[in-house]
């Protein structure tokens, strides 16, 4: 709860660069919209800083008739060079060998990508600022609520903060807090069915 509270203030949670502030908006009386966020990250070993590499943003709009429309706003690789300019794929080959891939945990089991696949894909990756702008634009649209699992961690990785997040987050981790992935998955299934 403390970490989430730090994200809803106007000042960036820390001094690192690349933070984007979401401004508060008036919540309209229309049907709510959901902005589902999922971020896959790698981790810098020296300070445990998590850097986004894959992001999915889905917008779900409801109508008075009860139907919904799902739109994929973004699904792809993200280059977080604004947060960590020393990421291996931002460096020339000689510098890349000096930095070394061992300084990062690529979390292959989670991202589904090896370091080599990530490096090849980063040539066409979207800059983090573009993904931040997509989130900010979606949040300006009336009664939009962010939805995700461990949302605070995803927002930190995306370097998003500001009063625009106040009372507009739905974290499924709070709804399904059981320990252990198998128990959590069963709880999610029961809650959704």
């Amino acid at each position: 709860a403390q970490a989430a509270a730090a994200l809803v203030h106007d000042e960036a949670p820390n001094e690192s660069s690349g933070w984007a502030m979401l401004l508060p908006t008036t919540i309209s009386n229309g049907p709510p919209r959901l902005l589902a966020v999922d971020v896959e990250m790698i981790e810098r070993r020296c300070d445990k800083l998590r850097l986004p590499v894959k992001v999915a943003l889905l917008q779900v709009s409801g109508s008075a008739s009860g139907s919904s429309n799902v739109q994929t706003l973004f699904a792809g690789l993200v280059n977080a060079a604004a947060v960590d300019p020393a990421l291996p794929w931002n460096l020339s080959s000689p510098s890349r060998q000096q930095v070394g891939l061992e300084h990062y945990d690529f979390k292959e089991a989670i991202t589904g990508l090896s370091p080599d696949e990530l490096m090849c894909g980063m040539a066409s990756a979207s800059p983090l600022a573009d993904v931040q702008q997509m989130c900010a634009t979606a949040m300006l649209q009336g009664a939009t609520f962010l939805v995700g699992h461990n949302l605070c961690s995803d927002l930190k990785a995306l370097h998003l903060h500001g009063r625009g997040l106040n009372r507009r987050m739905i974290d499924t981790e709070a709804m399904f807090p059981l320990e252990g992935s198998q128990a959590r998955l069963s709880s999610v299934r029961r809650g959704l069915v």
Side-chain angles (χ1 to χ4, degrees):
Q2 254 184 348
L7 292 174
V8 299
H9 296 292
D10 288 339
E11 292 182 27
N14 61 42
E15 297 300 317
S16 71
S17 62
W19 284 91
M21 183 169 59
L22 297 176
L23 299 172
T25 59
T26 303
I27 296 179
S28 69
N29 291 331
R33 294 176 187 224
L34 302 176
L35 177 61
V37 178
D38 186 39
V39 180
E40 303 301 340
M41 307 159 229
I42 64 171
E43 188 172 86
R44 195 166 57 193
R45 292 184 196 277
C46 66
D47 59 2
K48 304 292 186 205
L49 177 67
R50 291 182 176 170
L51 303 158
V53 291
K54 277 172 70 174
V55 174
L57 301 174
L58 300 174
Q59 187 168 355
V60 181
S61 304
S63 69
S65 67
S67 64
S68 61
N69 177 33
V70 179
Q71 178 184 7
T72 301
L73 300 180
F74 182 82
L77 295 177
V78 176
N79 189 340
V83 179
D84 184 2
L87 282 166
W89 45 81
N90 294 323
L91 305 172
S92 63
S93 292
S95 297
R96 188 180 300 141
Q97 290 170 353
Q98 289 173 357
V99 169
L101 299 179
E102 70 275 1
H103 295 289
Y104 295 89
D105 178 356
F106 285 90
K107 301 187 179 291
E108 292 177 58
I110 296 169
T111 66
L113 298 168
S114 70
D116 288 338
E117 290 169 320
L118 269 174
M119 282 197 240
C120 290
M122 283 300 152
S124 61
S126 295
L128 177 59
D130 290 358
V131 176
Q132 290 170 328
Q133 184 60 47
M134 287 179 223
C135 288
T137 300
M139 289 298 290
L140 289 174
Q141 299 174 0
T144 300
F145 296 86
L146 285 172
V147 179
H149 189 79
N150 196 358
L151 197 52
C152 188
S153 177
D154 286 354
L155 292 171
K156 278 185 190 178
L158 290 174
H159 275 56
L160 290 171
H161 73 101
R163 287 181 292 147
L165 297 171
N166 197 16
R167 288 188 258 164
R168 295 179 75 180
M169 296 188 287
I170 302 168
D171 194 332
T172 60
E173 185 177 49
M175 298 164 72
F176 305 105
L178 296 175
E179 294 297 321
S181 59
Q182 196 59 35
R184 180 175 289 147
L185 183 58
S186 297
S187 175
V188 170
R189 267 193 231 120
R190 280 192 305 274
L192 295 176
V193 178

